[in-house]
Amino acid sequence: MRRPQQVTDSSLPERVTVYEVGPRDGLQNENAVVPLAVKAEFVHRLVGAGLPVVETTSFVHPKWVPQLADAADLLATLAAQGLPPDRAYPVLVPNERGLDRALEAGAQHVAIFASATETFARRNLNRGLDEQYAMVAPVVDRARAAGLDVRAYVSMCFGDPWEGDVPPAQVVAAGTRLLDLGASQLSLGDTIGVGTPGHVTALLGAFSAAGVGVDRLALHLHDTYGQALANVVAGLRAGITTFDASAGGLGGCPYAGSATGNLATEDLVWMLDGLGIATGVDLESLVATSTWMAGHLGRPSPSRVVRALA
Ligand code: HMG
Ligand code: MG
């Protein structure tokens, strides 16, 4: 298989954690419900490709996201089949009811989510901006008391399809509130993929000025306008070492009309391989996984790297 020529840049981090969201962010947005056995194999293949973190599913209301209504069955299947213990398998949880379901299913890591904007909080969570914190606060408390790690996502960090521009100060206010609740990591979501590199630099600078270092932050980029990799480079330059990505570039948010696919994990890994930045991910098996999944979904992967290498 072709590989990028390695040319390192000593100003960038030496190692990066790729946080795989394909089974959750990818499959939540498919029109067709993917059979449980295919979802389970998808997770096993991603783990087999070396991904250290695989977000497997979500315990949101099954009427809101019917594509992932089988979350508990999927975790039971994965537990029965056995997964390597040295990786993390977070699940998305919106509220206490979701946490109850996740705990019952044996989840060890959870991810909560909130919005930087009022309109998306209402559309995605059926809550206002302040109400959303009231909804997730007990989730963080109870999950931590049960010994679980809690990640927090904040959406619409770079723009909102209904409200337009989103000032960095507004994102910092939302993000610090989630961190103050007790989340270990904050993932900054470019839900509709409108961000550009200077904007990434400015937002990370605003967090730094508020006392939140890059060690507590991750970038969650969608590639709607083709900016995701340029934004990764801006993140790397600022010292970010966790990047979310979705195998094959699947995904989007069903409650954000203009959201398309996530940054494809293959595109990210190709670039990081070229920069000599270690990820532990095997590009060849990842491409084979996304090609296999594209066969199940009945359409080619939108990832440029998958298309070039498959
Ligand atoms: P709601 O209708 O306001 O819920 O939805 P409620 O609290 O009023 O409860 C109504 C009923 O639903 C109750 O049942 C609850 O028990 C039940 P009843 O007493 O009437 O019989 N219920 C649940 N059942 C199962 N699981 C649950 C649950 N919660 C309540 N978890 C809610 C509020 C938050 C549940 C809903 O708005 C929801 O599920 N939203 C999730 C939408 C979603 O999944 N969006 C995509 C994920 S976010 C994303 O993709 C962005 C991200 O990738 C980052 C980025 O890109 O920016 C993370
Ligand atoms: Mg997303």
Side-chain angles (χ1 to χ4, degrees), residues 24-25 28 59 61 95 101 124 126-127 155 191 220:
R24 194 279 302 171
D25 207 344
Q28 77 181 9
F59 288 88
H61 197 299
N95 55 13
R101 292 173 54 214
N124 199 44
N126 202 23
R127 296 292 182 281
S155 289
T191 319
H220 177 98

Side-chain angles (χ1 to χ4, degrees), residues 4-284:
Q5 184 171 335
Q6 241 180 46
V7 182
T8 57
D9 178 338
S10 60
S11 69
L12 302 182
E14 286 174 13
R15 167 162 279 280
V16 149
T17 300
V18 180
Y19 184 112
E20 172 63 44
V21 296
R24 194 279 302 171
D25 207 344
L27 298 187
Q28 77 181 9
N29 209 42
E30 284 300 316
N31 291 330
V33 177
V34 174
L36 187 139
V38 174
K39 288 177 175 169
E41 187 173 348
F42 190 32
V43 172
H44 285 293
R45 282 175 173 258
L46 292 167
V47 169
L51 285 151
V53 187
V54 180
E55 198 168 274
T56 50
T57 185
S58 83
F59 288 88
V60 299
H61 197 299
K63 283 204 185 113
W64 283 61
V65 182
Q67 293 90 333
L68 303 181
D70 59 1
D73 291 340
L74 177 62
L75 291 204
T77 301
L78 292 170
Q81 292 168 339
L83 284 169
D86 60 337
R87 320 288 176 87
Y89 308 100
V91 296
L92 199 69
V93 163
N95 55 13
E96 287 194 89
R97 175 78 187 103
L99 179 66
D100 291 338
R101 292 173 54 214
L103 290 172
E104 204 174 310
Q108 300 287 316
H109 298 251
V110 295
I112 56 160
F113 55 109
S115 172
T117 65
E118 174 79 25
T119 313
F120 188 62
R122 292 203 178 276
R123 287 185 177 251
N124 199 44
L125 292 167
N126 202 23
R127 296 292 182 281
L129 210 46
D130 281 327
E131 292 168 320
Q132 68 177 354
Y133 302 111
M135 183 162 74
V136 295
V139 177
V140 182
D141 285 346
R142 286 183 47 210
R144 287 184 32 145
L148 272 61
D149 182 61
V150 182
R151 164 187 245 223
Y153 287 100
V154 59
S155 289
M156 302 299 175
C157 295
F158 295 87
D160 174 290
W162 300 280
E163 298 186 15
D165 292 354
V166 179
Q170 186 175 323
V171 179
V172 171
T176 48
R177 214 154 151 185
L178 294 170
L179 286 171
D180 290 346
L181 292 178
S184 61
Q185 184 180 61
L186 183 70
S187 177
L188 304 174
D190 186 4
T191 319
I192 54 168
V194 291
T196 48
H199 196 163
V200 172
T201 308
L203 183 60
L204 297 176
F207 270 102
S208 167
V212 180
V214 281
D215 54 318
R216 299 193 70 192
L217 298 174
L219 284 175
H220 177 98
L221 303 165
H222 286 250
D223 205 24
T224 322
Y225 293 88
Q227 305 298 299
L229 278 181
N231 292 338
V232 169
V233 174
L236 288 169
R237 290 210 186 288
I240 293 279
T241 55
T242 301
F243 293 91
D244 301 358
S246 172
L250 299 173
C253 176
Y255 292 98
S258 43
T260 61
N262 289 72
L263 165 62
T265 314
E266 291 84 354
D267 297 9
L268 175 65
V269 170
W270 175 278
M271 188 181 79
L272 295 175
D273 279 357
L275 285 163
I277 296 174
T279 62
V281 180
D282 179 54
L283 191 55
E284 193 163 358

